[in-house]
Amino acid sequence: MNRILVFGGTSEGRKIAETLSKNKVTVHVSVATDYGKQVLEENENLKVLEGRLDFPAMKELCLKEKYSLIVDATHPFAKEVSENIRKCSAETKLPLIRFERNTENLESQDLIYAEDVHHCVDILSETSGKILLTTGSKDLKIFCEKPEIRERIIARVLPAMESLRLCQENNLEGKQIIAMQGPFSESLNMNQIEEFGISVLVTKESGKAGGTDSKISAALKKGIKCIVIKNTSVGKTTETKDDGYLKCSSLKELYLQIEDKLKVKIFDSKSMTVHLMGIGMGNNKTLTLDAMEKISKADCLFGAERMLENIKSTAKKYPYYLSKDIIPVLQESLESTEPFENACILFSGDSGFFSGASKLQEELKKIQGIIVNVIPGISSMSYLSAKTGIPYQDAEIISLHGIERNVWLPKFQSATSSSKKIFLLTSGIGDLHEVANLILDYNKKANSKYKMAVGFNLSYENERIEIMEPEKVLTITEEGLYSAFMITE
């Protein structure tokens, strides 16, 4: 019976173990800490081995359990552990596959690359201000050796007893410790930079899975320095002739190598979460925190070009808003070796308020592998209501946007004949003028006093909101985005 030993402690290690167990392959996962055990759920095919193993312990374990294969999915910087695993593989004659994260260098005057931890400390000596240290607890001793560096540190570590013990041993005070579990979004990193008054952020070159990209982008957007400790161990997918083990930088390649070595079939059930997201009026200030978090973790963004221009993200952007353009891209990604994990499709206003989100949601639900998540936004109606003080719970809602006149006009006439409050969505100045003329005629015939609360380019810098008579509405000539309430005195 095939039995695989996975050295984990990383998000990829967890995913590899879970995928193998789902494929009825017996897998043992070696993790160093209790925290590593907590994030894995044991089952009949998956067993977690807690505790740090030196080389003799590794060798004894492999001989005792008679594994068929070893997978090294430890952290890119756990070089000593990886070397022991390599030696264990060589002496026990067990095949070894080393999974290595993809990392990529970015360029910026505020982005500094350090060769190692000691070099990083030397660079920090030339800086000033508080340091957000996001490299974990393992190297705390090196960072804390110099008092002038230690007193500036805000250390973000895992909420594990071992991490907190190391913080205490290295004389960090409680106010210098952030104990949190990742992953950390760009917005959360930015909030912590601002909250703690950070001047320098330190991270390791651990790839997207390790959150390096969101840390770098947060630091650069906040205008602070970011020091990245290089990972010199990363290589391409190659077979090392001297040691006879494989290096893989994608899970797809890893599973193919396992299939080849053990003559089994590994099915990696691919899934992609697609967020249908209302982004409010257009100004980023009207984005909800939920929307901001999802965007920060997105691999790709879809939406009208004007929407994408206002969104700061390192994700790949597609200026598409029609399902016929979006769906082929998502399907192509699902069929690729490295599919998108999180996609965001942006809709103006609220996803449930005259939005294309509902139609697209039904189409996406038919595609195997796609998980749909709908995120509400701030609608033009609720925004205009808040700005004018006009409640909308008793309003008749009528959209003229892309709607034939013979469809919306009867609804409009019925609402005015009942003297109802009306909220109007328009396609532009032409619709606004047509409604103003209808109100003028109605006011004369019914001796009514309908006015219009007109909102122009809501949330933008040139926003204008005014309650006015229909005669004045007809004097407006500027084209743009308009919505309005019709109200009576």
Side-chain angles (χ1 to χ4, degrees), residues 30 46 68 94 123 129 132 159 166 171 221 304 311 319 338 346 353 403 422 428 437 457 469-470 476-477:
S30 174
L46 193 158
S68 307
L94 288 176
I123 296 171
L132 180 57
L166 288 170
N171 299 312
K221 286 181 181 180
I311 300 293
E338 295 291 333
L346 312 182
F353 188 74
I403 308 297
I422 304 172
N437 279 316
N457 282 3
E469 302 290 344
I476 300 173
T477 58

Side-chain angles (χ1 to χ4, degrees), residues 72 98-102 233-236 247-250:
D72 178 6
R98 164 66 179 164
F99 178 84
E100 294 183 340
R101 291 173 177 172
N102 277 320
S233 66
V234 173
K236 296 181 180 179
K247 294 180 182 179
C248 297
S249 57
S250 77

Side-chain angles (χ1 to χ4, degrees), residues 143-248:
F143 284 106
C144 293
E145 281 177 345
K146 296 181 179 180
E148 63 271 22
I149 298 291
R150 183 182 66 238
E151 65 186 15
R152 296 164 52 198
I153 287 176
I154 303 293
R156 192 168 75 192
V157 298
L158 287 172
M161 293 304 298
E162 183 178 4
S163 300
L164 296 175
R165 177 180 60 78
L166 288 170
C167 288
Q168 186 178 29
E169 287 180 359
N170 287 285
N171 299 312
L172 291 179
E173 299 178 13
K175 63 182 180 181
Q176 292 179 272
I177 304 169
I178 303 172
M180 293 181 69
Q181 177 186 351
F184 301 98
S185 65
E186 179 189 78
S187 59
L188 191 147
N189 285 319
M190 292 176 71
N191 288 339
Q192 289 186 344
I193 289 169
E194 187 171 343
E195 180 180 354
F196 291 93
I198 300 299
S199 299
V200 186
L201 185 148
V202 178
T203 184
K204 289 181 177 179
E205 193 178 38
S206 303
K208 186 167 185 177
T212 302
D213 58 339
S214 61
K215 298 175 193 175
I216 292 174
S217 59
L220 299 184
K221 286 181 181 180
K222 295 302 291 186
I224 68 170
K225 292 188 180 301
C226 182
I227 303 174
V228 181
I229 302 171
K230 288 183 178 179
N231 175 18
T232 57
S233 66
V234 173
K236 296 181 180 179
T237 303
T238 57
E239 184 162 3
T240 307
K241 293 181 180 179
D242 292 342
D243 299 309
Y245 71 95
L246 293 166
K247 294 180 182 179
C248 297

Side-chain angles (χ1 to χ4, degrees), residues 90-117:
E91 293 203 11
T92 59
K93 308 300 182 183
L94 288 176
L96 168 63
I97 303 175
R98 164 66 179 164
F99 178 84
E100 294 183 340
R101 291 173 177 172
N102 277 320
T103 60
E104 58 180 16
N105 289 353
L106 300 174
E107 298 297 333
S108 168
Q109 61 181 4
D110 290 323
L111 188 58
I112 304 166
Y113 286 90
E115 296 301 322
D116 53 32
V117 176

Side-chain angles (χ1 to χ4, degrees), residues 198-328:
I198 300 299
S199 299
V200 186
L201 185 148
V202 178
T203 184
K204 289 181 177 179
E205 193 178 38
S206 303
K208 186 167 185 177
T212 302
D213 58 339
S214 61
K215 298 175 193 175
I216 292 174
S217 59
L220 299 184
K221 286 181 181 180
K222 295 302 291 186
I224 68 170
K225 292 188 180 301
C226 182
I227 303 174
V228 181
I229 302 171
K230 288 183 178 179
N231 175 18
T232 57
S233 66
V234 173
K236 296 181 180 179
T237 303
T238 57
E239 184 162 3
T240 307
K241 293 181 180 179
D242 292 342
D243 299 309
Y245 71 95
L246 293 166
K247 294 180 182 179
C248 297
S249 57
S250 77
L251 294 179
K252 176 68 174 178
E253 177 65 18
L254 176 74
Y255 299 139
L256 288 174
Q257 294 297 341
I258 293 175
E259 289 179 350
D260 180 63
K261 293 286 184 184
L262 303 185
K263 308 306 177 186
V264 296
K265 190 67 180 175
I266 305 298
F267 295 96
D268 181 18
S269 55
K270 299 176 184 177
S271 66
M272 176 194 306
T273 301
V274 179
H275 305 284
L276 304 182
M277 181 181 300
I279 63 168
M281 301 301 93
N283 186 322
N284 285 352
K285 291 181 180 179
T286 62
L287 276 170
T288 65
L289 289 175
D290 190 20
M292 290 172 64
E293 181 183 3
K294 297 298 188 296
I295 288 173
S296 72
K297 296 179 180 179
D299 302 301
C300 59
L301 301 175
F302 297 85
E305 197 166 346
R306 65 178 178 84
M307 297 181 193
L308 296 177
E309 287 175 353
N310 293 329
I311 300 293
K312 294 180 180 179
S313 172
T314 57
K316 189 170 184 178
K317 295 182 179 180
Y318 296 89
Y320 306 149
Y321 54 89
L322 298 176
S323 59
K324 69 179 182 67
D325 298 317
I326 295 172
I327 289 177

Side-chain angles (χ1 to χ4, degrees), residues 268-459:
D268 181 18
S269 55
K270 299 176 184 177
S271 66
M272 176 194 306
T273 301
V274 179
H275 305 284
L276 304 182
M277 181 181 300
I279 63 168
M281 301 301 93
N283 186 322
N284 285 352
K285 291 181 180 179
T286 62
L287 276 170
T288 65
L289 289 175
D290 190 20
M292 290 172 64
E293 181 183 3
K294 297 298 188 296
I295 288 173
S296 72
K297 296 179 180 179
D299 302 301
C300 59
L301 301 175
F302 297 85
E305 197 166 346
R306 65 178 178 84
M307 297 181 193
L308 296 177
E309 287 175 353
N310 293 329
I311 300 293
K312 294 180 180 179
S313 172
T314 57
K316 189 170 184 178
K317 295 182 179 180
Y318 296 89
Y320 306 149
Y321 54 89
L322 298 176
S323 59
K324 69 179 182 67
D325 298 317
I326 295 172
I327 289 177
V329 176
L330 297 179
Q331 289 177 321
E332 182 180 353
S333 175
L334 277 173
E335 295 168 3
S336 68
T337 56
E338 295 291 333
F340 296 135
E341 292 185 8
N342 291 285
C344 290
I345 303 175
L346 312 182
F347 298 90
S348 61
D350 176 32
S351 54
F353 188 74
F354 293 97
S355 171
S358 57
K359 182 179 178 181
L360 183 56
Q361 181 182 13
E362 292 305 313
E363 294 188 47
L364 291 174
K365 283 182 176 179
K366 300 174 185 176
I367 303 175
Q368 186 176 0
I370 286 184
I371 302 167
V372 182
N373 179 35
V374 181
I375 300 174
I378 299 174
S379 69
S380 56
M381 182 170 68
S382 60
Y383 185 95
L384 187 59
S385 170
K387 289 290 185 176
T388 59
I390 300 171
Y392 62 84
Q393 69 269 10
D394 56 343
E396 182 82 15
I397 303 169
I398 299 175
S399 175
L400 285 67
H401 184 59
I403 308 297
E404 294 292 332
R405 191 175 191 272
N406 63 342
V407 175
W408 65 260
L409 185 58
K411 297 179 182 178
F412 179 87
Q413 291 170 332
S414 175
T416 51
S417 64
S418 304
S419 299
K420 284 187 176 180
K421 182 191 303 177
I422 304 172
F423 176 77
L424 299 161
L425 279 170
T426 76
S427 297
I429 191 68
D431 286 347
L432 196 70
H433 283 173
E434 182 165 13
V435 170
N437 279 316
L438 288 170
I439 295 173
L440 274 174
D441 291 340
Y442 182 80
N443 283 349
K444 290 175 184 176
K445 294 175 182 177
N447 194 27
S448 181
K449 293 186 178 180
Y450 265 118
K451 292 184 179 181
M452 296 181 71
V454 179
F456 169 77
N457 282 3
L458 298 177
S459 86

